[in-house]
Amino acid sequence: MTTPTTNPDDTRSKILDLAELLWLGRGFNGFSYQHISRELGIKNAAIHYHFPHKEDLGVALVQRYRRRLARYIEAQTGLDAAGKLERFLQLADTYYANDRQICPSGSLSVEFHTLPDALRGEATLFIQDMVDWAVAIVKEGKASGAMHFSGSEEDMAALLCAGLQGALQLARLAPQLLEQSKAALRAQLGLPPGGPVT
Amino acid sequence: MTTPTTNPDDTRSKILDLAELLWLGRGFNGFSYQHISRELGIKNAAIHYHFPHKEDLGVALVQRYRRRLARYIEAQTGLDAAGKLERFLQLADTYYANDRQICPSGSLSVEFHTLPDALRGEATLFIQDMVDWAVAIVKEGKASGAMHFSGSEEDMAALLCAGLQGALQLARLAPQLLEQSKAALRAQLGLPPGGPVT
DNA sequence: GTCTATAACGTGATAGAC
DNA sequence: GTCTATCACGTTATAGAC
């Protein structure tokens, strides 16, 4: 999930890789084609060849990310619910370790009102992916007896998504909030403090 | 907490009021002096008179907001812990009802890496205010027996801040997530589903 | 597929008149 | 305290040569 996927030698992939870094570090409105062209040693127009409008780049970023997420989820088929939850929480750690990036859903939702139409559509699909994943984990956990909590699975899954997204953002200003929020989520799910391995 | 405070007739206050709307609707990088001058029927230069740099406007916005929040918190002195929690959760509803705004901490943390220095400093102070408030509510709730949950008060308070911030953002793309997250927070705090009045 | 060159525009910002 | 006028710059985007 951490490493981008396509051939790192072709320019299109290099653009996507760098754009993703900038996107999650600075927001979609926080980077320009100049940031990319300067860093890659190519010209502005070369990026426009691959992605005529910035909207096209944004859509490609979200679509590529959704495909990666689907593979990430699929790779967890063998794990139990507690293990799957740790993978979910791990995502946040990975972002944070990577120059304190935030998660895609955070950028997309905060900037939503300023995003081009097509990107808003992709964003909505992506958020649905995330929520579905959280619901599946929590339902499996409750059904298997590994997790126990009050309230519905859907509510708990919503808090899981929202809490992790918010914690990752707040960690930029108050780093301890990420670990604290994760600990609270584990506790509220009836899981041991350090995750299944501790 | 919803309504700005200073004299609505002088230009400086009008600028701040409108800028706050734009800030929480589109992010700090999502609005310009033109947005404000056009809407207020004044010129770009008039805003620069009151706030020479956009950084100055941002600092003024956060400082004013912190003062309002302090009064909002102080006004709850008579309430019990459950009542104070509802006031905390209510903030999110107010934002959402107001053109699906997000909370200041959300904007400040997501855009953090692109903000001018002075604004980053104010942002850090503001987040500390929020977290302190959440910790106080949760501690009082646990001490009085009104709330019961596993894990530390600090962890729970972190999840409270992070969860509400994330839920408010995600509600732009999936509106049910706000109510669901709030319900989950109440449930995890050992409170009745609809808040103290239901 | 990448380049040069350039257009059209928005943005933050300032000088100086009133 | 607000205005006109203007600036320098960054941004998205396109045409056309190589």
Side-chain angles (χ1 to χ4, degrees):
Chain A
M1 192 61 192
T2 53
T3 330
T5 59
T6 30
N7 179 4
D9 281 338
D10 76 285
T11 301
R12 190 190 146 93
S13 298
K14 280 186 192 164
I15 292 170
L16 282 170
D17 291 347
L18 179 55
E20 185 174 310
L21 230 62
L22 291 163
W23 169 34
L24 302 182
R26 307 173 50 91
F28 188 73
N29 295 321
F31 74 91
S32 70
Y33 278 25
Q34 272 203 30
H35 284 96
I36 300 172
S37 60
R38 199 149 21 184
E39 174 92 16
L40 294 187
I42 58 178
K43 295 299 167 188
N44 163 3
I47 308 176
H48 278 286
Y49 168 78
H50 294 281
F51 306 99
H53 307 272
K54 199 184 174 186
E55 177 172 10
D56 302 321
L57 174 58
V59 167
L61 282 171
V62 179
Q63 285 179 345
R64 189 178 76 149
Y65 193 90
R66 288 183 68 206
R67 288 195 296 274
R68 257 200 349 267
L69 179 65
R71 284 198 299 279
Y72 185 76
I73 295 175
E74 203 168 353
Q76 299 165 24
T77 314
L79 295 177
D80 63 8
K84 286 173 181 163
L85 179 80
E86 284 306 311
R87 295 289 184 158
F88 192 98
L89 299 180
Q90 227 174 48
L91 269 186
D93 292 325
T94 306
Y95 292 128
Y96 187 80
N98 207 7
D99 290 316
R100 296 186 297 167
Q101 287 181 347
I102 58 167
C103 62
S105 55
S107 156
L108 293 172
S109 54
V110 167
E111 303 186 274
F112 193 68
H113 291 168
T114 70
L115 296 181
D117 278 356
L119 193 45
R120 274 191 251 175
E122 292 297 324
T124 305
L125 294 173
F126 170 65
I127 266 68
Q128 196 54 55
D129 290 349
M130 291 288 298
V131 174
D132 289 347
W133 180 25
V135 170
I137 292 175
V138 166
K139 281 194 171 172
E140 181 185 333
K142 191 155 199 177
S144 73
M147 301 176 185
H148 38 94
F149 50 86
S150 49
S152 78
E153 288 101 334
E154 284 77 11
D155 291 356
M156 195 69 215
L159 182 59
L160 188 56
C161 292
L164 211 57
Q165 174 169 322
L168 190 52
Q169 297 167 2
L170 288 168
R172 288 178 164 178
L173 291 86
Q176 77 281 5
L177 292 177
L178 179 53
E179 278 308 315
Q180 289 180 335
S181 299
K182 281 168 50 193
L185 283 169
R186 286 196 196 93
Q188 301 322 308
L189 288 164
L191 293 168
V197 281
T198 310
Chain B
M1 193 58 194
T2 52
T3 332
T5 61
T6 32
N7 178 3
D9 281 338
D10 75 284
T11 301
R12 191 190 144 92
S13 298
K14 280 187 194 164
I15 293 169
L16 282 171
D17 291 348
L18 179 56
E20 186 175 308
L21 230 62
L22 291 163
W23 169 33
L24 302 182
R26 307 173 49 91
F28 188 74
N29 295 322
F31 75 91
S32 70
Y33 278 23
Q34 272 203 32
H35 285 95
I36 301 172
S37 59
R38 198 150 21 183
E39 174 91 15
L40 294 186
I42 59 178
K43 295 298 167 187
N44 164 3
I47 308 177
H48 278 287
Y49 168 77
H50 293 282
F51 306 99
H53 308 272
K54 198 183 175 186
E55 176 172 11
D56 303 320
L57 174 58
V59 168
L61 282 171
V62 179
Q63 286 179 343
R64 190 178 76 150
Y65 193 91
R66 287 184 70 206
R67 288 194 297 273
R68 257 196 353 266
L69 179 65
R71 283 199 300 277
Y72 184 78
I73 295 175
E74 203 167 353
Q76 300 165 22
T77 313
L79 295 177
D80 63 7
K84 286 173 181 162
L85 178 81
E86 284 307 311
R87 296 289 183 157
F88 192 98
L89 299 180
Q90 228 174 48
L91 269 186
D93 292 325
T94 306
Y95 292 128
Y96 187 79
N98 209 5
D99 291 316
R100 297 186 298 167
Q101 287 181 349
I102 59 166
C103 63
S105 56
S107 156
L108 293 171
S109 54
V110 167
E111 304 186 273
F112 193 69
H113 291 166
T114 70
L115 296 180
D117 278 356
L119 193 46
R120 273 190 251 175
E122 291 296 324
T124 306
L125 294 173
F126 169 65
I127 265 68
Q128 196 54 56
D129 290 348
M130 292 286 300
V131 173
D132 288 347
W133 180 25
V135 169
I137 293 175
V138 165
K139 280 194 172 171
E140 181 187 333
K142 191 154 199 179
S144 73
M147 301 176 186
H148 37 94
F149 49 86
S150 49
S152 79
E153 288 100 334
E154 284 77 12
D155 291 355
M156 195 69 216
L159 182 58
L160 188 54
C161 292
L164 212 57
Q165 174 169 322
L168 190 52
Q169 297 167 3
L170 288 169
R172 288 177 163 179
L173 293 85
Q176 77 281 6
L177 291 178
L178 179 53
E179 279 308 314
Q180 288 180 336
S181 298
K182 281 167 52 194
L185 284 169
R186 288 197 195 93
Q188 301 322 309
L189 287 164
L191 292 168
V197 282
T198 311

